[in-house]
Amino acid sequence: MATASPQTNASQASHRARVGAIGLGLVLLLIALASLVLRQVSHERPATAPGGAKPDIVANMAGGNEAAAETGPLSDMGVAPGVKNESAAAR
C-alpha cells in the first residue's frame, strides 16, 4: 500500500479549502439575492383582482365590528360576557 506524499496532502487540503470558500461565497450570494427579492416584494402594494376584495376596505370593515360587538343583541339582553346591560340594571 502506497502512502500519500506530503505534497498530495497539502494539495488536497488546499483544494478542499478552495471548494469550501467558493461554497460559502455562493451561500452568502444566495442569501443576499433572497434578501433583495424579499425587500422588493414587501415594498409593493398587494395585487387585487378586478372586482376582488380591497385590503384597505376590508380592514376598515373589520375594525367596525368591534363597536358592533359591544352593542349587539347579546349585550342588549345582558348575556354577553363582561358586558353590563345598563337598561336591565335600571329596571
Side-chain angles (χ1 to χ4, degrees):
M1 184 159 89
T3 59
S5 69
Q7 285 182 336
T8 306
N9 288 339
S11 174
Q12 285 179 350
S14 173
H15 179 70
R16 288 179 182 170
R18 194 174 334 127
V19 168
I22 290 172
L24 183 62
L26 287 175
V27 167
L28 291 176
L29 183 66
L30 232 132
I31 290 172
L33 182 64
S35 175
L36 288 173
V37 168
L38 291 177
R39 187 178 305 147
Q40 182 66 28
V41 169
S42 68
H43 288 302
E44 293 179 1
R45 281 186 62 94
T48 57
K54 300 192 178 2
D56 52 344
I57 295 174
V58 172
N60 288 339
M61 290 172 61
N65 289 341
E66 295 170 358
E70 295 173 2
T71 61
L74 290 177
S75 63
D76 290 342
M77 294 185 327
V79 295
V83 177
K84 282 189 170 182
N85 188 354
E86 295 176 11
S87 63
R91 290 183 202 169

